[in-house]
Amino acid sequence: MTAVLPPYPVTPALPAPRRLTRTEDGARLHALLWTAGPGRRAISSAVLGGGIGRRAWILNAQVAHGYRRTDPERHLASLAADAGLSGPGVGLMTAADVSAYAHARDGGVEAFVTAGVDVATATEAKVQALVESGHDCSGTPTDAVCVVADAPVPDREAYAFAGPRSLWGARLARAVHRAVRDAVAEGGPGGPGTSGVTHGTPVPGY
C-alpha cells in the first residue's frame, strides 16, 4: 500500500500513477509508478528504499505467484532502471494485479491500494476492512507499505501524532480502509495479499 500525507498547507497530491507492463518468464505483469517530485520523503517497510528518507519515486511491481527469486532488491532496482528512474526511490512488490488498484481520499490524505497496507494505523484499517469484507485473515505476512509526505521546512506546522485517533491518523485510517474495501470488492487477482502507497502531512521525527 502507498499512503500520501499532505503537508501544511496542503500541496499538490501525488499525480496518478503511471501504469507499466512487462513480460517476465512468459507472464504479462504490471507495475504502478508514482513520481514524488522534489521535497518529499517517505517511510516504508519496502525491500528497496525502506526506512525514512527523501524519495523521488515509488514503484509497485506485480510479480508472478510462486515468486522464487532471492534478490528482490536487485530485481526491483533493475525494474526501476528499465523504467528510466534514477535517484533514491521505493520499490514494492506484490502478487496482486496492481493495474486494478483502488484509490480513496479523506481530508487531504490519499491511499492507493492493490488490496493491502501497513504502518500501524494503516494496518489496523486494512485488517478491519478485510474482516468486514468476509475474509478471515489479516493479509499476507510480507505486506509492505510506503507513506509519503512533504519534508518539513521552517515555519510550516508539523503534527506530532499519527495514531488512529489523531487528526491525520484518522484520515489515513479512513482512506486506507475505504481503498482496501474497494480493492477487495473488485476481487482482483492476488486475493487479500496487499501493498500500497499513502500521501499526507509532516510529522516530527518522521
Side-chain angles (χ1 to χ4, degrees), residues 22-152:
R22 72 187 191 282
T23 300
E24 200 169 270
D25 296 327
R28 186 173 174 81
L29 302 171
H30 305 284
L32 297 176
L33 171 63
W34 289 265
T35 49
R40 307 265 190 169
R41 62 180 177 170
I43 179 170
S44 178
S45 59
V47 66
L48 177 66
I52 302 173
R54 292 181 182 265
R55 304 289 186 264
W57 49 266
I58 304 107
L59 179 69
N60 192 355
Q62 178 188 8
V63 295
H65 289 281
Y67 182 77
R68 297 187 184 283
R69 287 187 61 158
T70 58
D71 60 345
E73 184 174 0
R74 181 177 295 179
H75 187 191
L76 284 164
S78 174
L79 294 177
D82 290 346
L85 301 173
S86 60
V90 174
L92 308 104
M93 50 175 56
T94 178
D97 181 358
V98 299
S99 67
Y101 73 91
H103 174 224
R105 292 187 178 94
D106 190 288
V109 172
E110 296 183 87
F112 300 86
V113 175
T114 59
V117 204
D118 204 339
V119 168
T121 297
T123 299
E124 285 186 31
K126 179 194 71 174
V127 173
Q128 182 179 357
L130 289 172
V131 171
E132 288 174 1
S133 299
H135 294 278
D136 186 17
C137 63
S138 62
T140 67
T142 55
D143 285 356
V145 68
C146 177
V147 178
V148 182
D150 282 4

